[in-house]
Amino acid sequence: MKAAVIVFPGSNCDRDVAVALHQASGTAPAMIWHGDSTLPDLDLVVLPGGFSYGDYLRVGAIAALSPIMQAVRRHAERGGAVFAVCNGFQMACEAGLLPGALMSNAAGKYVCRHVAMRVENTDSPFTGGYDAGQRISIPVAHHDGNYFADDATLDRLEGEGLVAFRYDNDNPNGSCRDIAGILSDNRRVLGMMPHPERAADAALGGTDGAAMFTSMVETLS
Amino acid sequence: MSTEPNEIEITPEIVAEHGLTTDEYGRILNAMGRTPNRTELGIFSVMWSEHCSYKSSRVWLKTLPTEAPWVICGPGENAGIIDIGDGDAAIFKMESHNHPSFIEPYQGAATGVGGIMRDVFTMGARPVANMNALRFGSPDHHKTRQLVNGVVAGIGGYGNCMGVPTVGGEVNFDPAYNGNILVNAMCVGLAKTDRIFYSAAAGIGNPVVYVGARTGRDGIHGATLASAEFDDQSEEKRPTVQVGDPFTEKLLLEACLELMATDAIVAIQDMGAAGLTCSSVEMADKGGVGLELDLDKVPQRETGMSAYEIMLSESQERMLMVLEPGREDLARQIFAKWGVEFAIVGHLTDTGRFTLKQGGKVVGDIPVRPLVDDAPSYERPWEPTAPRPALAAADAPAPNDMGDALLQLVGGFDGCSRRWIWEQYDHMVMADTIAWPGGDAALVRVHGTKKALAISTDVTPRYCFADPVEGGRQAVAECWRNITAVGATPLAVTDCLNFGNPERPEIMGQLVGCIEGMGEACTALQFPVISGNVSLYNETNGVGILPTPAIGGVGLLKDADQRTGMAFQAEGESIVLLGETRGHLGQSLYLRDVLGRVEGPPPPVDLARERRTGDIVRGMIRSKLATACHDLSDGGLAVALAEMAIAGGIGATIDLPGTDIAPHAFLFGEDQARYLVTTTQPEVIQSMAEASGVPATVLGRTGGTELTVNKCLTISVEVLRDRHERTLPEHMAGS
Amino acid sequence: MQARVFVTLKNGVLDPQGKAIENALRGLGHEGVEKVRQGKMFEIELADTDADSARERLQVMCERLLANTVIENYRIEIGGQDAS
């Protein structure tokens, strides 16, 4: 699998997701600076977690305008896979790769803990390693993970099976309809607030996220 | 103050405003050979402030042990360094940001975290873990809730954005901190032993480079603020508090580490307290050179800044470097890539003087050596703290109900879960945190290796207040124990000595006593002090804090698979108490929280016993004989059992051994040098312990859903957990 | 030319910060505080001299960066005059 992690000013989960991908695929992903304007031929682009631009203005808003994002958009339009975690999810929404927006957590506080989630859709390159309805535990770490979209959009996402993960009676941020992660129409772009790269190594307290990386390696290679 | 000219008559009032005594001003006249101008006076005042010169504590700090075969760099640099094998070094320091955090809790705490991280990455290390030691006033005090909210959000706001995990810490609540909270932040970084950077400038003519955020009028006189008592007017000091920008610091970190991978840097120093002044002077002094700055070249955020303001600004996220000649362009390109300001602001000279130019004129010219070497050092008068009479058994009676007493302790503000706090910190980023907050010590892997660092911050201020020497010993011993309890070898400590006004002999006596106790313990446990910070004048209207020498310790576990935690692992395992129990209730949490009394001496610390017991426990953990381990501290045996049961979600049944110690003293006494371990081979543990002369008592077994101490108490683990977890969230949600 | 842009959350979008501020105001004893919604205000210095062209440019800025129209509304004020 040819994968690349985009590094934005303020990204800080770029190394973590690269380590998880490396472990699953045996190959280290390329690290690409946000100021570049072209991407090599890739099977997977990762928008990592962190605090791009310090979360200033709105989370993900300034990064969504980075030079590389044009190339990421073209990659997605060609049917390329994009895995957008946490701050990456926020950017993907701001960049229009996914519908909706991420708002401040309802409790108004940053939250870092494991949350219980349910796998809602297993028909994607990211979630194929799970059983439908499987309950998994993955950490979140964010201040703005409160997914919001209007009712029509939410109905459409649910109707078309584009909700990938839902919090399982454990919503840490007040997101609409307990949404933790969503897929694009072609199911090739996944945005999610929880961090599977933090749950792919038993020493870190759980391996429920590992199936995502093995699924990506199997499906996208 | 800002618009005043540089050449003014220095009146006694102006000298006093700068926190200098008449005698100290005399030393300045002597060093200068003439009357200083306003900028020069300002520079002396910050360099000779308590915060920068340690003038009240220096003579005592010198008595602390600072060496061991694994120490690469002790106190005196930005942070201390230890060798952790394979060419790896751990670099760490703890620092206070007490006064700014009381005035503006979010920004005060945030910039404290930012400052300590800069201290660590200045030396070439990537920060890998943040810790803290926090003290707040009474939970019911009208300011406490807002201060806790602000400090916790500020620590998280900075560390989370930097992508450095905050892996643990400690928190106490006590009315003694009502007017002076303590925010001590610690950072641990990793570097290669052959890529460490120091601050000594070298190479006459070499360029002096400024990188990072622009200089504004923030925090002017922060260092002198940190060296003065509070009074009711302190609210008005708000404008001197700096605002942190963690995003800029993250870029500064990445740019500095990228430049450090080249051969361009001769010396580097972060601009912390007293900003440009302290960093320039320290670099010049350590290198035995002169340094000239052109203040017009200093990147400025505001217009019309005077030399005085530029030199005393405490704007955050700035660094000063001396570069190899000809490497300026390489450095400039790296900083441009990261979008960080870069300016050549001066050069090194052979004059031995610190020279400042602005608008083509010399606005300051001070000989470097006296600025550092002539700093006053005081052997302030001190009185030893009177020993407390022993606590009579009748003064520490049994509770009406042992179970209720235990619930009171695990749900009390000093015993309850800190989850509400640490869930606001990203404790997992960098994906190497293998033991989270809430255990004895945090464990962070050395990235890409089997090694892990164990980190813990500790002190028991009520012990230090009752007996500073014993309290100083205990703080070090508890830190050493916590690192041992996860299986690691304790290697070195950083300290943050928080005290009241040193001009009062009884406060000075607390400082002297605590340092004496710390020194003994650090020597006996081979746990040297390699960096640290002193924060004095933590008083408001003459009321001082409890003496609080916070100890931040670091240990090494060569094989992270050998670690253990405090959670009960399985049903049916034996629970063994290692160490001697005497039932010491003086200054215990039980006495304070259940009986409402603060009396007696703290538990004595026998350092030889500590070492013997800890060394044997560490061996049991590494050989996998011990399946779980927890050190005994606040609340004694009963609280330790409850915490192990809550963490594992497994109960236990305990029989107290037949002794002449009253059951409540056995359960709640705080005798030192004790650990609880679980095991499937209690006979092996017992014979190993006996061979080393360490008492080992099999107390019972894990299992079931309740914690039962026969003839004393039975509580379900769920009820214990509920009481333990509920306190802070409920209190913080109130208004 | 001096312009101001006000960005506020759309009606119906939860505003936890506003809610917290509202509670804090009540806690301070300010009775009759019925609702607080918070937002952002930008002060922008423009080289433009023509208000119409300035407004057009500001609208593009709002749509592209200053506001997220999924959740936010914006209002432009030029030289103290409401321009949206």
Side-chain angles (χ1 to χ4, degrees):
Chain A
M1 182 177 63
K2 291 192 294 277
V5 178
I6 314 292
V7 182
F8 297 87
S11 289
N12 63 31
C13 303
D14 43 337
R15 186 186 80 180
D16 304 354
V17 76
V19 167
L21 278 169
H22 192 165
Q23 267 166 5
S25 71
T27 315
M31 307 302 279
I32 294 183
W33 184 237
H34 80 115
D36 294 358
S37 47
T38 57
L39 287 173
D41 181 35
L42 291 170
D43 300 314
L44 175 72
V45 170
V46 180
L47 301 178
F51 284 71
S52 60
Y53 293 94
D55 276 359
Y56 299 154
L57 185 63
R58 284 185 315 282
V59 290
I62 302 179
L65 300 176
S66 275
I68 198 71
M69 289 304 282
Q70 295 280 5
V72 173
R73 202 176 281 112
R74 283 195 298 275
H75 166 84
E77 281 162 6
R78 283 197 303 269
V82 179
F83 176 42
V85 186
C86 196
N87 190 218
F89 185 19
Q90 295 161 345
M91 289 175 208
C93 288
E94 282 281 347
L97 291 171
L98 292 168
L102 280 310
M103 306 201 7
S104 287
N105 296 348
K109 286 189 189 331
Y110 188 95
V111 58
C112 177
R113 65 176 176 87
H114 274 257
V115 295
M117 317 198 295
R118 230 172 29 243
V119 182
E120 296 283 284
N121 180 319
T122 56
D123 182 18
S124 83
F126 314 98
T127 55
Y130 296 110
D131 298 327
Q134 188 175 336
R135 287 178 160 76
I136 57 175
S137 171
I138 308 249
V140 293
H142 60 247
H143 188 279
D144 300 76
N146 182 354
Y147 182 74
F148 175 87
D150 57 38
D151 282 333
T153 306
L154 293 169
D155 290 344
R156 186 177 67 79
L157 287 173
E158 291 188 332
E160 295 175 14
L162 300 178
V163 174
F165 300 104
R166 238 189 264 271
Y167 302 115
D168 190 19
N169 289 317
D170 197 14
N171 188 334
N173 51 42
S175 65
C176 290
R177 304 189 192 179
D178 294 329
I179 286 173
I182 57 168
L183 292 160
S184 61
D185 291 351
N186 67 359
R187 304 185 182 187
R188 305 285 285 178
V189 181
L190 170 70
M192 64 189 296
M193 287 314 297
H195 287 271
E197 76 275 18
R198 298 184 182 188
D201 173 351
L204 301 177
T207 53
D208 283 2
M212 291 192 66
F213 295 97
T214 47
S215 171
M216 283 184 249
V217 172
E218 281 166 18
T219 323
L220 299 172
S221 294
Chain B
M1 164 154 58
S2 61
T3 52
E4 284 176 31
N6 202 28
E7 305 299 332
I8 53 166
E9 189 194 342
I10 305 295
T11 62
E13 290 73 36
I14 292 175
V15 170
E17 264 173 35
H18 282 79
L20 293 161
T21 65
T22 316
D23 174 59
E24 287 167 351
Y25 184 63
R27 282 165 174 264
I28 294 173
L29 290 176
N30 206 26
M32 292 290 292
R34 63 171 165 83
T35 307
N37 63 33
R38 196 157 148 275
T39 302
E40 290 162 342
L41 183 74
I43 287 171
F44 273 100
S45 84
V46 293
M47 288 303 299
W48 290 6
S49 69
E50 192 67 58
H51 190 81
C52 293
S53 74
Y54 299 100
K55 59 192 171 193
S56 299
S57 55
R58 211 157 61 209
V59 292
W60 300 103
L61 294 175
K62 281 189 193 147
T63 66
L64 290 169
T66 59
E67 286 173 6
W70 50 87
V71 173
I72 296 175
C73 173
E77 279 287 341
N78 284 289
I81 310 174
I82 52 171
D83 189 333
I84 54 166
D86 316 303
D88 296 319
I91 302 187
F92 59 94
K93 188 179 180 188
M94 178 155 50
E95 202 162 73
S96 62
H97 231 213
N98 304 335
H99 298 73
S101 301
F102 184 75
I103 293 172
E104 170 54 58
Y106 184 97
Q107 294 299 344
T111 52
V113 172
I116 198 65
M117 279 194 275
R118 275 197 308 284
D119 276 330
V120 164
F121 74 76
T122 302
M123 303 204 72
R126 179 174 284 283
V128 297
N130 285 328
M131 295 281 290
N132 52 69
L134 311 177
R135 314 280 175 225
F136 296 102
S138 160
D140 300 323
H141 187 265
H142 68 279
K143 277 194 169 160
T144 298
R145 221 181 250 112
Q146 173 223 341
L147 289 168
V148 173
N149 259 322
V151 166
V152 170
I155 290 172
Y158 211 105
N160 298 347
C161 183
M162 285 290 286
V164 177
T166 302
V167 296
E170 55 164 359
V171 187
N172 285 141
F173 295 88
D174 191 291
Y177 304 102
N178 280 350
N180 294 82
I181 62 169
L182 302 184
V183 175
N184 297 172
M186 174 176 173
C187 179
V188 183
L190 288 169
K192 284 290 174 188
T193 49
D194 59 356
R195 304 278 332 154
I196 291 169
F197 292 83
Y198 295 96
S199 59
I204 304 305
N206 278 355
V208 175
V209 166
Y210 171 118
V211 294
R214 293 178 164 230
T215 296
R217 290 189 172 98
D218 336 46
I220 290 175
H221 272 315
T224 41
L225 173 68
S227 309
E229 259 186 63
F230 276 163
D231 54 34
D232 295 331
Q233 309 305 311
S234 297
E235 294 272 338
E236 288 174 20
K237 292 184 177 164
R238 194 180 287 265
T240 64
V241 170
Q242 322 87 308
V243 173
D245 178 358
F247 174 58
T248 294
E249 178 141 315
K250 167 72 173 164
L251 302 181
L252 185 62
L253 162 70
E254 298 301 338
C256 283
L257 291 181
E258 194 171 323
L259 183 61
M260 284 165 168
T262 74
D263 54 0
I265 299 176
V266 177
I268 180 165
Q269 170 84 24
D270 103 280
M271 292 191 225
L276 198 48
T277 293
C278 236
S279 53
S280 314
V281 172
E282 280 179 22
M283 284 173 99
D285 176 61
K286 288 207 176 102
V289 295
L291 193 150
E292 182 178 309
L293 292 180
D294 180 350
L295 300 187
D296 297 332
K297 302 265 174 62
V298 172
Q300 291 162 49
R301 208 175 63 215
E302 302 174 53
T303 53
M305 289 187 69
S306 66
Y308 181 92
E309 290 170 326
I310 293 170
M311 293 313 296
L312 269 56
S313 162
E314 294 199 347
S315 291
Q316 300 288 296
E317 294 92 24
R318 304 178 299 162
M319 297 272 208
L320 204 63
M321 309 188 284
V322 175
L323 293 183
E324 293 286 355
R327 308 300 274 166
E328 297 92 328
D329 286 342
L330 169 81
R332 195 191 302 274
Q333 277 165 20
I334 289 172
F335 282 87
K337 171 190 160 188
W338 288 99
V340 176
E341 195 107 31
F342 173 100
I344 297 170
V345 295
H347 60 274
L348 301 184
T349 67
D350 60 2
T351 61
R353 299 184 77 83
F354 183 38
T355 310
L356 309 172
K357 290 186 174 164
Q358 192 180 33
K361 281 191 293 201
V362 173
V363 291
D365 186 28
I366 305 174
V368 173
R369 267 283 134 79
L371 187 52
V372 178
D373 293 351
D374 292 0
S377 179
Y378 296 123
E379 208 162 322
R380 297 197 188 275
W382 60 280
E383 279 168 15
T385 304
R388 301 289 177 104
L391 187 70
D395 287 334
N400 295 331
D401 183 305
M402 296 274 207
D404 286 349
L406 176 56
L407 285 172
Q408 217 175 323
L409 294 181
V410 297
F413 280 95
D414 278 355
C416 70
S417 164
R418 272 72 175 106
R419 183 183 302 275
W420 182 91
I421 294 172
W422 53 258
E423 282 189 349
Q424 295 185 57
Y425 304 147
D426 190 340
H427 48 276
M428 307 168 179
V429 64
M430 299 185 91
D432 278 315
T433 311
I434 54 172
W436 293 343
D440 284 321
L443 276 167
V444 175
R445 284 188 300 212
V446 176
H447 191 68
T449 74
K450 289 189 73 130
K451 293 186 290 192
L453 296 176
I455 315 167
S456 180
T457 54
D458 298 281
V459 60
T460 311
R462 62 179 192 278
Y463 291 176
C464 295
F465 185 69
D467 183 340
V469 181
E470 207 68 86
R473 280 190 202 113
Q474 195 274 342
V476 173
E478 185 174 348
C479 186
W480 189 86
R481 246 180 356 244
N482 278 326
I483 290 169
T484 296
V486 297
T489 305
L491 291 179
V493 307
T494 180
D495 59 21
C496 198
L497 308 178
N498 309 273
F499 291 83
N501 182 349
E503 294 162 39
R504 291 203 287 144
E506 67 274 27
I507 300 292
M508 199 59 212
Q510 293 173 347
L511 177 66
V512 170
C514 284
I515 290 177
E516 181 191 330
M518 284 166 55
E520 278 177 28
C522 288
T523 302
L525 301 171
Q526 254 203 315
F527 202 28
V529 178
I530 62 162
S531 61
N533 163 246
V534 179
S535 171
L536 303 178
Y537 297 96
N538 291 289
E539 294 207 7
T540 298
N541 296 330
V543 180
I545 58 163
L546 298 180
T548 312
I551 303 295
V554 173
L556 178 68
L557 186 55
K558 283 188 182 153
D559 179 356
D561 290 339
Q562 292 178 333
R563 72 189 182 278
T564 188
M566 70 176 186
F568 284 153
Q569 293 294 303
E571 306 228 348
E573 296 193 336
S574 296
I575 301 169
V576 186
L577 172 64
L578 292 149
E580 192 186 2
T581 300
R582 292 179 179 175
H584 185 100
L585 286 171
Q587 297 298 331
S588 65
L589 207 57
Y590 169 80
L591 193 68
R592 194 191 71 180
D593 286 6
V594 177
L595 302 182
R597 307 167 79 133
V598 180
E599 289 165 31
V605 179
D606 178 334
L607 293 163
R609 194 188 293 265
E610 283 287 354
R611 178 126 198 198
R612 203 161 56 232
T613 310
D615 287 348
I616 193 163
V617 166
R618 196 178 308 111
M620 290 167 181
I621 293 169
R622 290 191 181 168
S623 62
K624 302 275 175 193
L625 262 176
T627 52
C629 180
H630 192 14
D631 105 294
L632 269 59
S633 56
D634 275 358
L637 173 66
V639 166
L641 283 167
E643 287 173 344
M644 294 176 87
I646 293 168
I650 297 172
T653 304
I654 302 295
D655 280 298
L656 296 183
T659 63
D660 54 3
I661 299 166
H664 75 285
F666 203 101
L667 281 174
F668 299 115
E670 295 180 3
D671 308 285
Q672 300 293 296
R674 295 187 302 161
Y675 302 79
L676 275 176
V677 299
T678 57
T679 183
T680 56
Q681 296 164 271
E683 312 77 22
V684 182
I685 293 244
Q686 270 184 308
S687 62
M688 268 177 79
E690 272 161 29
S692 301
V694 172
T697 315
V698 178
L699 293 178
R701 276 176 178 277
T702 60
T705 57
E706 290 172 337
L707 175 61
T708 296
V709 179
N710 283 327
K711 297 179 196 155
C712 289
L713 60 87
T714 293
I715 311 174
S716 88
V717 176
E718 262 327 295
V719 169
L720 282 168
R721 183 200 309 275
D722 181 62
R723 274 297 280 272
H724 191 53
E725 293 292 348
R726 230 169 52 192
T727 307
L728 267 188
E730 281 185 359
H731 187 75
M732 294 307 297
S735 55
Chain C
M1 163 175 307
Q2 171 88 30
R4 286 178 167 190
V5 174
F6 296 86
V7 175
T8 49
L9 286 170
K10 285 182 172 172
N11 277 334
V13 174
L14 182 73
D15 177 10
Q17 283 192 61
K19 193 81 199 155
I21 296 162
E22 183 182 307
N23 290 338
L25 287 172
R26 290 199 192 119
L28 287 170
H30 294 284
E31 287 170 27
V33 173
E34 296 191 343
K35 195 174 181 188
V36 176
R37 305 274 288 169
Q38 53 85 48
K40 302 188 188 96
M41 191 269 282
F42 304 84
E43 282 185 344
I44 302 177
E45 285 281 335
L46 291 167
D48 302 58
T49 49
D50 177 55
D52 287 343
S53 74
R55 189 177 62 235
E56 268 173 40
R57 275 154 46 74
L58 286 163
Q59 257 164 2
V60 175
M61 291 180 207
C62 286
E63 296 281 339
R64 287 272 342 252
L65 181 64
L66 300 181
N68 178 345
T69 53
V70 175
I71 46 171
E72 293 170 328
N73 291 322
Y74 61 87
R75 183 164 64 78
I76 296 166
E77 218 182 73
I78 292 176
Q81 299 284 309
D82 210 327
S84 55

